[in-house]
Amino acid sequence: MKSNKRSMLFTVLAVGALTVSAAASAAPPKRGESSSTYQQELAVCGHNQQDRAACIREAGAARQAAAQGGLTSAPDYRANALARCGLQQPADRAACEARVLGSMGNTTASVDGSVMGGGVIRESVTTTVVPLPAPAPVMEPQPTPMPRPMPAPMR
């Protein structure tokens, strides 16, 4: 009977420990950890082109995901864009990389627009110097033959 009570007690303690650890991992973030980020996101709501209610919902969802450890660091967009340039034809790859990286060598790049405005347009202008064609050989003028004197009139 003693061993039965002991095993029940051990089982209850084990279940209690698991419950406490699960509750601790799902607990909301501590004060100051994510609440400042949440407050910053709420401050933006109403000042952007998004519906205020949707903005508040998304800020709350992000806070909850952060509390559960679901948010990771921002993706490396630059590496992603360069990987897409790798799929281009070899002749077009350098121009693609110049648009992603900005001005390089004889290429200038500019970015216009915004994501909120509907899209970002990247443009690059490459200056290519075309060598002048070799001048055509100049033919030296031939000396003109001297005209023959006119015969004297006959009398």
Side-chain angles (χ1 to χ4, degrees):
M1 188 80 180
K2 258 188 174 181
S3 102
N4 202 11
K5 283 185 181 180
R6 225 183 297 169
S7 64
M8 281 185 93
L9 181 63
F10 180 73
T11 305
V12 169
L13 286 175
V15 169
L18 287 174
T19 305
V20 168
S21 68
S25 68
K30 295 177 184 156
R31 260 239 189 269
E33 263 181 26
S34 173
S35 65
S36 65
T37 304
Y38 176 69
Q39 294 301 327
Q40 289 172 352
E41 290 175 356
L42 282 181
V44 173
C45 293
H47 299 292
N48 56 12
Q49 296 178 355
Q50 186 180 20
D51 178 45
R52 181 169 171 73
C55 181
I56 292 171
R57 271 194 315 272
E58 287 183 15
R63 182 180 190 190
Q64 183 179 10
Q68 295 172 350
L71 293 182
T72 59
S73 62
D76 188 1
Y77 294 116
R78 183 175 176 188
N80 186 15
L82 286 174
R84 286 193 311 271
C85 287
L87 301 174
Q88 300 294 321
Q89 297 294 327
D92 299 331
R93 193 171 298 145
C96 179
E97 290 173 356
R99 282 189 298 275
V100 170
L101 299 175
S103 299
M104 286 177 33
N106 63 346
T107 301
T108 57
S110 64
V111 178
D112 190 26
S114 69
V115 173
M116 292 298 283
V120 177
I121 299 171
R122 295 182 186 274
E123 174 188 34
S124 65
V125 177
T126 304
T127 305
T128 305
V129 179
V130 179
L132 293 174
V138 177
M139 301 293 286
E140 291 202 22
Q142 296 292 327
T144 55
M146 291 291 283
R148 291 188 181 177
M150 292 195 61
M154 286 193 154
R155 291 191 195 184

